[in-house]
Amino acid sequence: LTMLGQNVGISDSDSTFTPDNSAALEIKSTSRGVLVPRLTTTQRDAISSPAEGLLVYDTSLDYFFLLQCRLESTWWRKRFGRI
């Protein structure tokens, strides 16, 4: 599915909800969250050509990882996890 020139809004309770124009995707909920892809460390490391900004939850380490690119370097950066 490809939509050009549009943004998408998802709401579980507001039928008149309009997403902010600066967002490609905006989700509105007062009772649910967003579930990002859950991968083991091996699966995460096996992603070929991951895009900068890719976010995954590593189930082996119990941390979120964000792919960052700086000049010639690309690496997974541990962002937040076990509390």
Side-chain angles (χ1 to χ4, degrees):
L1 175 64
T2 302
M3 293 187 289
L4 301 175
Q6 298 180 13
N7 52 349
V8 176
I10 299 171
S11 175
D12 63 359
S13 61
D14 184 351
S15 63
T16 63
F17 172 65
T18 302
D20 188 279
N21 285 330
S22 66
L25 172 64
E26 183 174 354
I27 301 170
K28 179 179 179 182
S29 177
T30 57
S31 60
R32 296 185 241 181
V34 174
L35 188 59
V36 300
R38 296 161 287 175
L39 307 170
T40 65
T41 301
T42 302
Q43 291 168 324
R44 175 176 56 87
D45 290 342
I47 297 172
S48 62
S49 302
E52 181 175 6
L54 186 67
L55 177 68
V56 299
Y57 185 78
D58 187 315
T59 58
S60 301
L61 300 173
D62 292 331
Y63 273 91
F64 284 95
F65 281 82
L66 178 71
L67 191 81
Q68 292 189 319
C69 301
R70 296 279 190 259
L71 300 174
E72 298 299 319
S73 300
T74 300
W75 69 93
W76 286 102
R77 183 162 186 173
K78 191 185 298 184
R79 299 309 302 166
F80 28 77
R82 288 179 248 174
I83 298 175

